Amino acid sequence: MPWISRGLRNGIVTSTYPRKSDGYGPNFRGTVEANRSRAAIEIKAVIEACPTRAVSARDGTLALDRGKCILCGRCVEMAPEVFAFSPSFAVSARHRRSLVVPPTEEDDGSLTILREELAHRVKRLRRSVHVRHVDAGSDGSDEWEIAALTNPIYDVQRLGIFFTASPRHADLLLVTGVGSLGMIRPLQHTLEVIPRPSVVIAAGVDAISGGMLEESYASSGGVGSLVGVDVFVPGSPATPFGLLHGILMAIDLLPLSTSDSDDGPGVSQGTRRGRHSNE
Amino acid sequence: MESDLVSPSDPRGTAFERAILHFANGSRFAGIFGTADDNAIRLIVAMSKNGELQLEHAIVPSGSSHYPSMASDIPAALWYEREIFDLFGLASDAGAVLEPLILPLELDSQRPRPGGGGLTPTVRLDLTPLTTRVRGEGVFTMSYGPVRSGVFESIEYLVETPGEEIPSLRTRVFYKHRGVEKRFEGMSVRDGVMLAERCEGVASVAHAIAFSGAIEQIGELAVPLQAGCVRVLHAELERIVNHLDSLTRHVEAAGQAVAYARFSLHKERIQRVRGRLCGSRFGRGVVVPGGVSGPPALRAQELHAQLDPLQGAIEADTRLLMNTPSFIDRLRGTGVLSAETVREYSALGPVARGSGIVEDVRQSRPYAAYGHLGHGLLEVEGEGDALARQIVRAQEIARSFDLIRRAIEVLDELGEPSEGRWALRLPQLSGEAIGWAEAPQGEILTWVEVREDILVRVKPRSASFHNLAMFSRAFPKDILTDFAFIEASFGVSIAGVAN
């Protein structure tokens, strides 16, 4: 009985995201922004110092690959005029290429097709999406962040997102880890028994690129070579808000106000719709 | 630190004999560290007595394929011998029980041989299923994992059962092996600490402290007290949140919905405080060899204002939980580990303390600022069941808050370190050393060899690895429905077991 009053003790603690933005911590390292206009500055030292080779120069232009960035902040320390931390977590993308910032003039057309194809696939999943998680060689922190989605602050059930024990009941596969040798078969087997249509999310830089554990005898350098990934969620590990953003992107439910990193300015947002009916 | 050659003419190998003698004289077995070079494989046996580390070195020339097993005298050594076989292809003479553990390879496959440099090996996994052990009417084998029902790390438990009891349980941990140890080779020291943080992500701070401790021994550096206090602050927050995670898993398994909401909320709030302090919810980037990357981002007052109400809420909920019969009944008498078993396996952390064995390197081998901040003696629960382990964790949470408070105070009194230098400049580093830290799971030991600033061999030994070896012994009269509780009461991270 005393638990009843305990449950009421703190009132409502649940985040307002994605209806409104959540004012989570200004010191928080959500992502690294790279300022291309200052790229003329010598950044060779930064390129060499980056522990995961996330910083590169393409045709003399600076590029930062968020799919490799482990947010260690060495570039921010070495070249604060070019790199800066930002608390933003809305950095998931539907295309591996879109994780490279600043965005270049890529083929917007192909991204639009990709998004429409995904939107079509998930059309029937929106009201209730069941998520199956598979650990394919994580460092253990990714699982904590995923488990956090069920705590009262994120409370993903309110958005119609549920974790399921059986892959046969799943719509969405959430993969963490570098793609360790031993998990290749179990991962592919899990995906095989998930009913179609399904969506695959690679959660965290380990799953996107291997992070610190690039391709080796034991690591696949990310799960992209093992399963077809639909949405990439950067972060080391991906934070709960980052994961939520990625899941909402995967089921095409991001509200219009949230910035979408793979949308260049001027790209039509007509294929996406906010979720109003179920709240 | 004498070395011994182990050759066929000296089959017993005096280094191993000495280690067994230490064990018989009350030393705790702390691990075997293997490292390869062109001509030989060196094995370092670590024993610990009253905080002092006793290291015995043995060199096995590359021609020999065997070395003497210690497993019949020290049961905990078996997992290390299995690991050494997987990584180096070097077998102890333990015989058939030397089945693969972290990397099951075909016999003629190349092996990683960490420490030996060279290119990435081409390995061939041997996925032959394990044969069953138990015979009897109605006994069947159930394989639980590696993909499990819920958000868990991948591991496979092979349970042989007639229906309720668990007469045989084997753990298969290789699924998550990521080649971390081989990856360290050739890295710079400052990149190495970041990889150390990722050996076992939920104990990032402790792993970074153990790695940095080894580097600081090699470089003969005395870290400023202020930096030590910052390390304590982050390490204790890590302990609190890991213990809360264990509690959360217990209440989830017991189906206590409100308690689950409460404890997962507390856990999230601690993670957020950690995020505000340093930018990372896992305290990453704080500990660097030579000190810390900087002072905490919150002032003492702000930090108190955040932590004090949290401590009050956690303690109130824990008190209520420990008075909730439907919860306590699931833990009392569950997964009993006797003090003898714990001693036999030289178990670590809250698992050992729950059975009345105090082993805490914060106290016995003080590091960071623990020597300065003091460290009251633990009240030890002697029952050895899952409940005792949780009571130990609850007490440790309270003590961690005290330590944090003292660390903040001292930090406030001392002000900035001289010349604002939170991390000492590293000299050129060549040498080898072993570093340590008391992670939430227990003692971490990290063996580091560095040559002209380049890492040659890093072997982090997590408490998760060491304690999981004893897991199959924790089901003396328990049944399948107790499994989730016993597993949660061990509080291990699989990433640290098979890194």
Side-chain angles (χ1 to χ4, degrees):
Chain A
M1 280 307 269
W3 284 107
I4 295 175
S5 65
R6 218 46 83 93
L8 302 171
R9 190 164 272 190
N10 286 79
I12 295 170
V13 296
T14 307
S15 166
T16 50
Y17 180 82
R19 207 157 27 84
K20 292 185 206 152
S21 68
D22 186 281
Y24 178 25
N27 297 328
F28 187 69
R29 295 180 177 182
T31 190
V32 174
E33 299 288 352
N35 184 345
R36 186 164 43 163
S37 63
R38 304 282 192 91
I41 295 165
E42 185 60 58
I43 55 158
K44 195 158 166 270
V46 180
I47 293 174
E48 277 165 17
C50 177
T52 54
R53 290 183 284 204
V55 183
S56 63
R58 279 187 313 211
D59 316 322
T61 310
L62 166 77
L64 171 77
D65 184 352
R66 284 179 175 152
K68 289 183 177 171
C69 175
I70 57 166
L71 302 163
C72 70
R74 198 178 282 167
C75 57
V76 179
E77 199 177 296
M78 290 173 79
E81 64 284 355
V82 181
F83 300 95
F85 278 118
S86 142
S88 171
F89 54 80
V91 286
S92 308
R94 294 187 186 86
H95 199 289
R96 176 71 183 85
R97 221 168 41 217
S98 308
L99 293 174
V100 181
V101 289
T104 47
E105 271 121 72
E106 293 277 356
D107 182 10
D108 279 345
S110 72
L111 288 182
T112 312
I113 292 168
L114 193 73
R115 190 172 55 230
E116 281 171 358
E117 188 273 321
L118 182 61
H120 179 73
R121 210 175 345 143
V122 299
K123 217 166 158 184
R124 291 177 197 283
L125 305 180
R126 283 174 194 146
R127 278 171 184 277
S128 148
V129 58
H130 287 246
V131 180
R132 171 67 238 195
H133 156 260
V134 171
D135 161 20
S138 74
D139 68 20
S141 60
D142 305 84
E143 283 67 31
W144 273 27
E145 298 298 57
I146 293 171
L149 290 174
T150 60
N151 75 34
I153 291 185
Y154 304 101
D155 188 24
V156 289
Q157 287 92 335
R158 79 199 148 100
L159 300 167
I161 300 167
F162 306 94
F163 286 93
T164 173
S166 168
R168 292 181 201 280
H169 300 162
D171 309 303
L172 195 154
L173 182 63
L174 191 58
V175 190
T176 56
V178 300
S180 58
L181 189 61
M183 281 308 292
I184 293 175
R185 287 267 306 275
L187 173 65
Q188 288 170 341
H189 192 195
T190 306
L191 188 59
E192 277 163 25
V193 298
I194 291 182
R196 303 287 179 272
S198 61
V199 185
V200 177
I201 298 180
V205 290
D206 284 4
I208 297 172
S209 69
M212 295 287 287
L213 291 155
E214 54 200 27
E215 208 177 322
S216 74
Y217 76 92
S219 156
S220 309
V223 296
S225 59
L226 310 176
V227 290
V229 177
D230 297 298
V231 170
F232 300 84
V233 187
S236 183
T239 60
F241 274 131
L243 289 163
L244 192 48
H245 179 261
I247 294 172
L248 293 173
M249 176 181 274
I251 53 176
D252 203 36
L253 275 182
L254 280 180
L256 294 171
S257 59
T258 313
S259 77
D260 184 344
S261 68
D262 68 338
D263 286 336
V267 175
S268 158
Q269 299 185 319
T271 55
R272 288 180 289 139
R273 61 208 73 178
R275 178 191 198 84
H276 305 292
S277 53
N278 212 21
E279 279 182 350
Chain B
M1 300 269 280
E2 294 157 58
S3 281
D4 285 302
L5 279 171
V6 178
S7 60
S9 61
D10 178 16
R12 194 56 204 168
T14 53
F16 301 104
E17 278 175 345
R18 277 201 301 271
I20 291 168
L21 199 63
H22 289 316
F23 188 69
N25 290 332
S27 289
R28 170 172 65 85
F29 170 74
I32 311 175
F33 300 79
T35 174
D37 66 26
D38 294 343
N39 306 316
I41 291 164
R42 184 153 58 114
L43 300 177
I44 301 127
V45 185
M47 310 293 294
S48 175
K49 190 170 197 182
N50 305 325
E52 191 203 342
L53 272 181
Q54 303 152 318
L55 302 181
E56 302 292 353
H57 295 242
I59 290 167
V60 188
S62 46
S64 46
S65 57
H66 286 272
Y67 66 96
S69 169
M70 298 193 297
S72 54
D73 297 283
I74 309 174
L78 184 62
W79 270 41
Y80 291 86
E81 292 173 9
R82 291 167 66 184
E83 184 189 46
I84 286 163
F85 179 70
D86 289 349
L87 292 176
F88 301 95
L90 175 66
S92 78
D93 52 21
V97 289
L98 208 65
E99 60 189 26
L101 181 67
I102 63 159
L103 188 61
L105 296 179
E106 289 181 12
L107 279 179
D108 56 350
S109 168
Q110 287 184 4
R111 306 264 167 181
R113 291 173 56 86
L119 298 169
T120 183
T122 317
V123 298
R124 290 198 315 282
L125 272 190
D126 175 8
L127 294 172
T128 317
L130 297 181
T131 50
T132 53
R133 279 181 177 169
V134 185
R135 300 255 177 271
E137 200 178 338
V139 175
F140 61 97
T141 306
M142 195 168 66
S143 128
Y144 182 44
V147 177
R148 304 172 58 196
S149 52
V151 180
F152 290 109
E153 291 187 68
S154 294
I155 184 170
E156 182 185 359
Y157 297 108
L158 202 73
V159 180
E160 293 174 49
T161 174
E164 291 275 9
E165 296 83 19
I166 306 176
S168 164
L169 173 91
R170 275 180 287 175
T171 16
R172 301 233 282 171
V173 300
F174 70 88
Y175 296 98
K176 288 195 66 148
H177 176 71
R178 296 169 287 154
V180 175
E181 293 175 24
K182 197 71 183 163
R183 180 72 184 90
F184 271 113
E185 283 177 18
M187 259 190 181
S188 69
V189 167
R190 62 180 192 158
D191 285 0
V193 70
M194 286 189 241
L195 185 56
E197 288 174 335
R198 284 158 179 84
C199 291
E200 190 175 17
V202 300
S204 288
V205 177
H207 274 275
I209 292 175
F211 174 86
S212 301
I215 296 293
E216 286 146 14
Q217 283 178 48
I218 294 167
E220 294 176 2
L221 297 169
V223 171
L225 183 57
Q226 289 93 330
C229 287
V230 177
R231 286 182 176 184
V232 169
L233 167 64
H234 284 276
E236 294 308 316
L237 283 170
E238 182 171 270
R239 190 176 324 281
I240 293 170
V241 81
N242 269 277
H243 288 356
L244 285 174
D245 181 70
S246 174
L247 275 166
T248 307
R249 285 188 184 281
H250 276 86
V251 293
E252 191 183 15
Q256 311 265 345
V258 181
Y260 174 76
R262 294 289 296 171
F263 281 101
S264 61
L265 175 65
H266 300 324
K267 184 185 166 197
E268 173 67 18
R269 287 188 163 158
I270 298 275
Q271 289 296 74
R272 288 184 166 206
V273 172
R274 297 172 79 193
R276 288 195 192 98
L277 278 173
C278 68
S280 159
R281 287 162 59 92
F282 291 86
R284 288 178 181 172
V286 171
V287 179
V288 294
V292 293
S293 54
L298 291 177
R299 283 195 313 267
Q301 260 179 334
E302 295 169 302
L303 199 49
H304 284 308
Q306 303 230 357
L307 289 178
D308 292 351
L310 251 170
Q311 182 180 7
I314 291 169
E315 284 175 2
D317 283 347
T318 309
R319 261 197 310 277
L320 179 54
L321 190 64
M322 293 302 175
N323 283 307
T324 302
S326 56
F327 177 73
I328 296 298
D329 288 351
R330 301 304 306 269
L331 272 69
R332 188 176 284 137
T334 302
V336 177
L337 288 164
S338 67
E340 288 71 46
T341 309
V342 164
R343 215 172 278 119
E344 205 183 318
Y345 278 85
S346 300
L348 303 166
V351 175
R353 283 169 221 146
S355 296
I357 308 288
V358 183
E359 179 56 52
D360 188 331
V361 293
R362 289 177 293 174
Q363 188 179 35
S364 60
R365 222 182 290 139
Y367 57 96
Y370 288 111
H372 183 86
L373 297 173
H375 188 261
L377 259 174
L378 271 166
E379 288 172 59
V380 168
E381 284 288 323
E383 303 292 323
D385 56 2
L387 181 61
R389 296 192 273 278
Q390 282 326 88
I391 292 173
V392 166
R393 286 194 175 95
Q395 289 172 345
E396 286 192 24
I397 289 176
R399 268 172 0 112
S400 291
F401 275 113
D402 291 345
L403 274 167
I404 289 169
R405 218 163 269 127
R406 261 177 281 165
I408 300 170
E409 255 168 49
V410 173
L411 213 47
D412 225 25
E413 280 165 24
L414 293 172
E416 290 250 306
S418 63
E419 298 171 39
R421 207 176 276 285
W422 288 89
L424 302 172
R425 196 166 287 146
L426 299 179
Q428 204 194 44
L429 296 163
S430 285
E432 55 184 47
I434 198 162
W436 57 82
E438 184 76 15
Q441 292 79 13
E443 173 202 57
I444 291 172
L445 289 177
T446 303
W447 172 260
V448 178
E449 280 172 69
V450 57
R451 212 169 293 141
E452 287 168 7
D453 292 340
I454 299 296
L455 296 171
V456 176
R457 172 78 171 121
V458 177
K459 164 69 189 164
R461 193 280 278 143
S462 69
S464 295
F465 177 89
H466 197 91
N467 278 351
L468 202 61
M470 189 176 58
F471 188 61
S472 62
R473 298 288 300 270
F475 298 83
K477 51 184 183 14
D478 301 277
I479 57 174
L480 286 172
T481 46
D482 297 322
F483 193 95
F485 295 95
I486 298 175
E487 194 194 11
S489 77
F490 266 62
V492 303
S493 166
I494 312 305
V497 179
N499 54 45

